[in-house]
């Protein structure tokens, strides 16, 4: 089980200068997955709570796998862990766009994460497409393809720190131009 939340700020030339109120709560996500012993595949789902997305609930299934080289930590490649997730948004109040102009378009996306983990040093990795994947807007068409890279460092068996960035390459379904993010992870 994984719980994510964020605090975000939008920047750009068309937005007003940084002032009070520019930061807002981001989405809060709950992801649950599991598999059978001996399987390399995991099945699960994700729920996005309606805190940072204008009252929209989002839910969907996911399937993933993880392949590690036999050499383990002696290999440059740590893992190849592809994940596929379909997300379907709905509004619990059944608001229409005309009745609630602040309601964004309901999410309908297929996300692909061709995640690669590469050893940089002991307890430090470069993770590609781990946080921001390739997205297809199934409702309106269009692809969003970023380059996403994150450097992670495990402090001990429970704590991991990461910093990453992503930049769009194909933007027929715009999500952002670029993104910088950090992560603190506690595992138990």
């Amino acid at each position: 089980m994984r719980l994510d939340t964020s605090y975000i700020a939008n920047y750009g030339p068309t937005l007003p200068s940084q002032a009070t109120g520019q930061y807002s709560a981001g989405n809060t996500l709950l992801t649950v997955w599991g598999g059978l012993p001996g399987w390399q595949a995991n099945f699960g789902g994700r729920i996005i709570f309606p805190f940072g997305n204008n009252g929209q609930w989002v839910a969907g299934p996911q399937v993933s796998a993880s392949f590690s080289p036999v050499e383990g930590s002696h290999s440059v490649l740590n893992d190849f862990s592809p994940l596929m997730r379909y997300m379907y948004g709905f509004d619990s109040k059944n608001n229409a766009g005309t009745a609630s102009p602040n309601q964004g378009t309901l999410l309908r996306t297929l996300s692909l994460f061709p995640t690669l983990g590469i050893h940089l040093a002991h307890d430090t990795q470069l993770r590609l497409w781990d946080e921001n994947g390739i997205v297809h807007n199934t409702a309106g068409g269009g692809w969003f393809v970023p380059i996403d890279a994150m450097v992670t460092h495990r402090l001990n068996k429970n704590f991991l720190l990461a910093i990453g960035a992503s930049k769009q390459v194909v933007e027929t379904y715009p999500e952002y131009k670029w993104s910088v993010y950090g992560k603190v992870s506690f595992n138990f």
Side-chain angles (χ1 to χ4, degrees):
M1 183 164 63
R2 176 178 164 176
L3 181 66
D4 295 85
T5 191
S6 63
Y7 194 59
I8 59 174
N10 295 321
Y11 295 89
T14 60
L15 297 174
S17 299
Q18 297 307 305
T20 337
Q22 292 294 314
Y23 293 91
S24 62
N27 290 327
T28 299
L29 309 93
L30 176 66
T31 308
V32 179
W33 67 93
L36 296 175
W39 283 21
Q40 291 180 317
N42 292 303
F43 302 94
R46 173 173 275 183
I47 297 173
I48 302 176
F49 297 96
F51 305 135
N53 58 3
N54 300 315
Q56 181 179 170
W57 285 85
V58 183
Q62 70 181 34
V63 61
S64 65
S66 188
F67 306 99
S68 298
V70 179
E71 299 87 18
S73 63
H74 301 292
S75 172
V76 173
L77 180 66
N78 181 66
D79 66 291
F80 170 57
S81 304
L83 179 136
M84 182 172 57
R85 177 183 299 132
Y86 182 76
M87 298 303 289
Y88 184 87
F90 56 95
D91 183 359
S92 61
K93 297 175 185 165
N94 201 20
N95 289 333
T98 55
S100 179
N102 292 334
Q103 175 66 45
T105 305
L106 294 177
L107 191 67
R108 306 280 192 278
T109 59
L110 174 65
S111 300
L112 307 170
F113 295 83
T115 305
L116 288 171
I118 300 168
H119 286 289
L120 297 178
H122 182 66
D123 292 332
T124 304
Q125 281 189 21
L126 174 64
R127 307 285 301 164
L128 302 171
W129 294 286
D130 195 52
E131 290 294 322
N132 297 288
I134 300 165
V135 178
H136 181 256
N137 178 3
T138 60
W143 285 91
F144 174 77
V145 181
I147 291 181
D148 179 63
M150 171 174 59
V151 176
T152 68
H153 182 74
R154 183 158 295 285
L155 299 174
N156 57 39
K157 71 176 194 167
N158 299 100
F159 283 100
L160 178 131
L161 299 175
I163 187 162
S166 57
K167 171 85 172 97
Q168 62 86 11
V169 178
V170 174
E171 189 185 1
T172 58
Y173 167 54
E175 286 194 3
Y176 54 81
K177 297 279 186 208
W178 57 270
S179 174
V180 176
Y181 55 90
K183 175 169 102 171
V184 176
S185 179
F186 175 69
N187 301 304
F188 55 92

